[in-house]
Structures are given as structure tokens and as C-alpha cells.
Amino acid sequence: MNVRITPFWKATVITLTVIGVLIAMNQAFFWNPGGVSLLKNAYMYAVLAAFLPIVFIVFPAKKSQIDRPIPIYDIALALITLTTCAYFCVNAENIVTLGWDYAPVPTASALSFVFWIIVLEALRRTAGLVVTIIALVFSLYPIFTAYIPVPFLQGIPFDIKTAAQIHAMGVDSILGLPLQTGATILVGFLLFGVALQHSGGATFFYDLAMGLFGRFRGGSAKVSVISSAFMGMMSGSAVSNVLTTGPMTIPAMKKAGFTGRYAAGIEATAATGGTIMPPIMGTAAFLMVSFVGVPYGQIALAAVIPALLYYIGIFVQADAYSAKSGLKGVAKNLLPNVGKVVVLGWAYLAALVGLVLLLVIQKNESQAPYWIVGFLLVVAFFSKKYRMGIKGFGEFLYSSGKTIAEILGIIAGVGLIVGGLSMTGVSLSLARELVNAFSGNLILVLIAAAITSFVLGMGMTVSAVYVFLAIVMAPALVELGVNPIAGHLFVIYWATVSYITPPVALASFAAANIARTPPMQTSLVAMRLGAVKYVVPFAFALNPALVAQAPLPEVLITFVFAIVGVIFLGCAFEGWLVFVGRRPNWVMRALLIVAGLLTFAPELAFSVIGVVLGAVCFFVTRFWNLGGEHTPLGIDKDALSEESVLAEK
């Protein structure tokens, strides 16, 4: 039993969650009971009133208090949060019509400071101290901007009282674009992800991946790649993906003959792809809706090709490793029957397909996920294998409240960064100065953006990194001719690289903990397996066809060349040519890397040269390089032992 979350507090979280979801659904479906409709700012205050108190109930002030009863000060913070948000919600019309962000009544002015502090503390509990300090510095930026010696960093100054009022009641800070997107779109999608997992989606997708790929050489690794990709469609969180599928896939890979470091690296790298895998990507992808000004469906469509290339790269390396190591597959009769798995779990595939169709046809991101959640819950209550029941429904609501509260706590806090830059007007000059600093050289700006995204990603959430760089870096890329969607996706991709790259590498560390392997060595393996993720962002920034921002024929041709390039890169990084069953020497590996990079070039001539060069490397290695023996392609007829099969399951 959880000492902190007693039945009373769990019921409290569930009650607040139900209220918050109903408020969000009312806004999405325009129910407006009694003819009363909420203004935009009133709605956001109402959503925060429902979910922000949950942060102080569920997330302790210190990690050491996780197994202790909720202290009085956390209860007080939850009540103060509820009261403060409710006050602003009730007075939302006065805030707009009477300009309370500049000339409020004394109560509103005092509560502005309270709200500011509450949001910062919620951010600290959900995202950590580093991002909170950054948000605090930027929220205080308007107070000392006039004293900064760098001219383009000087902005419009404000006293601390006015700054607090604008942060709390203005439209560009806590209630800015991040929270507007989070409250209107993200709540439903987070609910969908939790519903899919609590109704048995994780087990279904793992069984499906086992049935499809378990019999091939190194099948356990391929199952990890595919099941993590499926899980990524649901949650969009790298670490939670590792913790969900890792306990199943990592022991199975180790039992099948993979080293612990390689097994953990595969899982960490595949799980990280969840942050970039449509239809539900990471939180930052939803924030793009407001910053880029396009429907989420268009963003998800643009992200399909890069995500597929990422997973193809991991898949190729896993296959190459299995071939050169002589790893076997599982006998077909010992694997789940694909047909039976699909029949029993048809609802999960229908949910994903239905969500995509609603996004494409209905084009209403705020309503689409609720329809699918309703469908999943109905199926779960009547399912024989994954029956949810009343207790399961309560756990679903509790997990939903916790997940939504965590994300909204982060987004509200990150809004302070936007507010500080917008309030002073500095955000308008940063992109221009960045372009001038690099003399308008696109490659240099891309490298600077990549390094900045990666460094910030080590200490901040992807959402926080994206919001900051969507103001600073992305406009500079767009100014230099990069497609807006490609520019913003570039920032997101490089922010997520930190999940598998030392020194932080949260996903790698989580996988290493499961595999009982050294975290840093595991991260280095994950880096190699995820190498495509370092290349693809530059490719689609220079060639928008890779994010579907071109005529369909051009998109398809570019995609085909990119697949070939990923295969070249995967074989080079792993040191085995999957189609000819030979180990290339270092010269051939170096040439394959060059060939792979050339295939991503925007110019067709370079892509063709890359394919030809890669083909020559394969031909030479097959007939003249005798450094490795041929391994048959396809299914290994030798099955694993019964013990290994049990480990797989």
C-alpha cells in the first residue's frame, strides 16, 4: 500500500481528474450547460484548478518523502492552488475587460505572486530543479533587462509587481501558447495514451511483435524495436517506454544471446523513438501546433518518414548484429499466433487507425482523442482478456490525473520562459542576432541549434527545450529558408538525443538498470544504435521532402533513397553487410558512411552517386573481402531452447 496516496487521496485525485476532463470535454465539444461558456483564460484557469493541485498531492517536495504520509504543507499548497486558480477563473472576464494584468484590484495583485510561486514549485516537482531555475531567471528577466550590457538583450523593463501580474493574468506567460495547446489538445491525447495502456495495449503490441518477428534471427531484439515503436505511438515518453517494455524485452534478448549492454542499448534507443513516433509523439510536438500554426495532423504526417527511418536504422543494426553473432530465432510453433493476437486485440489497432482517420478527416484535434478513449473504455469493460472492471477504471482515472497533472505542471512553468522573453520584446531580436552572428550560414546555424538543443536537453524536459528554442532558434532557421515544420522538428529531434547520449542519457540509464549493466557503456552502445537520429534532422532541414513538405512523387523518391542510405549507415556502424553476409573492412565501412550521407542530399545527382558508391562497397565486400563468412538471410530454422522461449514470453 502506498503510504502517501491513501484511498482518500486517491479518491481526491480521481475526483479532480474527472472534473478536469469534463471541463476539457465541455470546451472541446461546446456543451456549455445552461448556456454558460468559458472564456479562453477562464477555461485555462479552470483546468489548472483541477489538475495543478494533483501535483502537490502526488509529487512530494523531496524524493525521500515518497513513502511518507502527505505533510500538512502539501495539503495547504494544494488548497491554495485550487483557491487561487478558482479566483482567477471566476474573475476571468474582469481580467480581460478591466485590464487586471496592468491595473488589478489588490487581491488579484497579491494572488499574482502566489500563482507565480505555485507554478514554479509545481515545475520543480515535475521537471526538476535545473529547469525551474531557468524558468525563474527568465521570469525575473523583465526586472533587470535594462541593466544587461549586451544591447540586443536589453528590453522593456518592468517592476516586480507588474511582472507578477502579467505572468499570472497576461496572455503570453503562464497562460501563453504552451498552456493554450496543453489545455485544449494535449489533455485528450494524454488520456488516450493512458487508456490504451490500461486496457492491455502494451501486452497486445508485445505479443503482436513477437508473432511477427520472433522467428527471425535475433528476433527478440526486433521484437523490442517493434514493440517499443508501438508503445511510442501511445505514450510519447522515452523513459516510460523503457520501463513498460524493458522488463519484457531486455531479459528476453539476454537469454537469446545478446550482451546485456546491447540489449539495454536496443531498448533505450527504440524507446526513445516514441518521442518522435506519430500519431502520439512527445508533448513538444503538440506545442508545435501553436508555434507553427498548423493542425496537429499535419505535424504528425510530417514526422512519419523521419520516425520510420529512425526505426529502420535500429532494425538494420539489430539484424546485422544477429547475423554476425549467429543468433537464432524462436520456433514458429512456440510463438503467439498473429491471427489470434489480432482477433483478440483488434480494438487497439482500430483505435490507432480511428485516431488517424479522425485527425485527417474530421481535422479536430481537440475532439478526436475523446471519441477513441470512449471506444477503448467500452471495449475494455466487455473484453474477456483485458477486462478493466471498476477497480481498473479507478486506476485508469488515477494514472490519467497523475500524467496530465505532471505535463500541465511542466507546461505552465515553461510558460514563464515565454513570458519573460515576450514581455521585454527580446524574443523578436534574438533570431535576427543569431543569424547575423553566423553570417547567414545555414549549416553553422543548424550545428549551433543542434548543440544548444542537446545541451539544454541534458537538464531540461524536451517540452521546455522546445519552447525556449521555438522562440530563439527555430525562427532563425526559418529566416534562412528552412521549412517551418522541418525547423521546429529539428529542434525536437536534437532535444530528444539527450535521452541516449551521455552524460545524462535517462533512457539508457533506465534500461541499464533493468539489464544490470554499466550506464555509461550502455549509453555508448545506444548512441551507435541511434546514430541515424543524429543524421536525419540535418537531412530534413536541408530537404523538406523528408517531412512530406513537397509534391508526393518527390516525397516518395526521397524516401526510397533515404531508406537505402539508412541501410548503408546501419551496416557501416554495425560492421556487417546484411544482404551479402560479409564483414566489411574499415575502408568499406568509411565509404558506406559517405554513401549513406550522400543519399540524403537534396540534389538527386548526389543521391544517385551515394547509391552507386554503396552498391560498389557491397559488391567489393561480397566478392573480394573475405573478412567474414556468409550467413543465410531470413528465418533461422534452429529454434531456441524451451527455457529461452519462456524467457521471451
Side-chain angles (χ1 to χ4, degrees), residues 23-24 26-27 32 35-47 89-90 92:
I23 291 171
N26 172 68
Q27 197 77 357
N32 300 333
V36 178
S37 60
L38 293 174
L39 295 174
K40 181 185 288 187
N41 63 337
Y43 166 63
M44 287 187 285
Y45 285 128
V47 169
C89 178
V90 171

Side-chain angles (χ1 to χ4, degrees), residues 113 132 139 260 303 485 579 597:
F113 285 96
T132 305
S139 65
I485 291 180
F579 294 108
L597 295 177

Side-chain angles (χ1 to χ4, degrees), residues 157-405:
F158 290 86
D159 60 81
I160 191 168
K161 180 173 175 286
T162 305
Q165 292 161 187
I166 296 176
H167 280 315
M169 294 179 283
V171 296
D172 292 323
S173 189
I174 295 173
L175 302 190
L177 288 178
L179 187 61
Q180 290 171 27
T181 304
T184 56
I185 299 177
L186 197 54
V187 171
F189 279 93
L190 291 172
L191 200 67
F192 166 71
V194 177
L196 205 53
Q197 293 185 55
H198 277 257
S199 60
T203 304
F204 163 73
F205 286 122
Y206 180 76
D207 288 344
L208 180 61
M210 278 292 295
L212 289 172
F213 297 97
R215 67 187 188 276
F216 294 94
R217 66 188 180 200
S220 56
K222 295 169 184 176
V223 168
S224 174
V225 174
I226 302 303
S227 60
S228 293
F230 281 137
M231 280 300 299
M233 293 179 181
M234 294 188 283
S235 70
S237 170
V239 177
S240 68
N241 287 355
V242 171
L243 298 178
T244 302
T245 59
M248 294 183 285
T249 60
I250 291 175
M253 284 187 276
K254 291 175 69 175
K255 203 72 177 179
F258 288 90
T259 65
R261 281 178 292 179
Y262 201 90
I266 282 279
E267 176 58 37
T269 310
T272 300
T275 57
I276 55 171
M277 187 67 179
I280 299 184
M281 302 160 67
T283 306
F286 289 92
L287 300 180
M288 275 182 65
V289 172
S290 296
F291 281 101
V292 183
V294 299
Y296 176 71
Q298 189 172 336
I299 292 171
L301 179 64
V304 169
I305 291 178
L308 289 177
L309 293 175
Y310 177 72
Y311 277 107
I312 290 171
I314 306 171
F315 196 91
V316 168
Q317 290 188 75
D319 186 59
Y321 181 91
S322 304
K324 73 179 181 181
S325 303
L327 301 182
K328 310 297 182 183
V330 181
K332 186 176 181 180
N333 63 307
L334 297 174
L335 292 169
N337 181 277
V338 175
K340 186 177 180 181
V341 170
V342 171
V343 169
L344 290 175
W346 64 272
Y348 308 111
L349 294 177
L352 289 175
V353 173
L355 180 62
V356 172
L357 290 177
L358 285 174
L359 289 174
V360 173
I361 297 173
Q362 189 186 37
K363 295 182 179 180
N364 191 325
E365 298 96 337
S366 59
Q367 293 182 2
Y370 294 111
W371 289 111
I372 306 300
V373 169
F375 165 75
L376 282 173
L377 292 178
V378 170
V379 170
F381 272 111
F382 294 100
S383 169
K384 292 182 179 179
K385 186 174 181 181
Y386 305 113
R387 189 180 300 278
M388 180 175 281
I390 300 299
K391 183 178 180 181
F393 183 63
E395 290 297 325
F396 156 70
L397 289 175
Y398 174 77
S399 295
S400 298
K402 181 180 178 181
T403 301
I404 296 170

Side-chain angles (χ1 to χ4, degrees), residues 430-432 434-435 442 445 471-481:
L430 286 176
R432 181 181 65 254
L434 183 65
V435 172
L442 176 58
V445 175
I471 299 171
V472 179
M473 285 289 187
L477 296 177
V478 173
E479 187 176 332
L480 290 172

